[in-house]
Amino acid sequence: MLDLKTATPFGERRVTTVTPLRATPPARAPSAAPLAQAVLDSLPQAMAVLDATGNLTYWNGAARKRLGAAGWQIVDQRLHAPCAMDRDTLARALPNVCTRGRRQLLSLALDGRVAHAALTPIDVQGQWHALLLLDRKTLCGGIELQLFASSHSLTPAE
């Protein structure tokens, strides 16, 4: 408690007792790693992080589902495509992305069709890796489409 002495217009002194507010401790925030993992796993965009030799550092839930359904596996910590052509394409592209910092587009056999993937260089704690982003079967999901329509005042017919 804190006593504050203030003067009144008549020269009297008044003592006011003030109880300081106690800050409530913040709710414990989740650690960054599990939080980031949960956020990335919730995204519909399939993504994976690879080093120059093809070692898989991370892949989100969408990538695990899509690549797993197409027969891709993890062999000796490396992302292994079922098709030799896809393995060669990825093996040639990764050093260009990770050592030269060049972005690259790839065509891969996924889902019984040709799928497109983008490789983008990213710095992970001072080491260069490649972020593999797979194309989506649809342009956007329903909620994204509703958000776009509402932000542009589109009618349901539009």
Side-chain angles (χ1 to χ4, degrees):
M1 286 204 273
L2 179 64
D3 289 336
L4 296 177
K5 295 180 182 175
T6 55
T8 65
F10 303 106
E12 303 169 0
R13 295 239 181 235
R14 185 179 310 164
V15 176
T16 306
T17 304
V18 178
T19 305
L21 293 174
R22 293 198 178 152
T24 57
R28 186 169 186 156
S31 155
L35 179 62
Q37 176 83 29
V39 168
L40 291 173
D41 278 343
S42 72
L43 295 176
Q45 181 71 48
M47 60 183 70
V49 179
L50 305 156
D51 69 10
T53 62
N55 286 335
L56 182 67
T57 304
Y58 173 78
W59 57 347
N60 71 346
R64 289 189 297 272
K65 182 178 177 183
R66 187 158 177 210
L67 293 174
W72 289 58
Q73 300 175 344
I74 306 300
V75 178
D76 296 328
Q77 296 182 349
R78 291 189 179 167
L79 191 57
H80 185 79
C83 171
M85 183 183 290
D86 287 346
R87 285 193 301 272
D88 292 342
T89 299
L90 194 57
R92 281 192 313 271
L94 285 172
N96 283 330
V97 174
C98 294
T99 59
R100 294 186 183 98
R102 295 186 179 154
R103 296 169 189 238
Q104 196 159 347
L105 291 175
L106 307 176
S107 294
L108 304 170
L110 291 175
D111 310 318
R113 67 176 180 86
V114 174
H116 301 285
L119 285 174
T120 303
I122 57 170
D123 182 7
V124 180
Q125 298 177 342
Q127 299 259 336
W128 285 99
H129 288 69
L131 173 63
L132 174 73
L133 295 170
L134 298 173
D135 65 356
R136 292 177 59 176
K137 292 179 182 180
T138 60
L139 182 59
C140 66
I143 194 74
E144 292 96 346
L145 188 56
Q146 288 177 3
L147 180 62
F148 176 81
S150 66
S151 66
H152 292 284
S153 302
L154 299 178
T155 68
E158 292 172 318

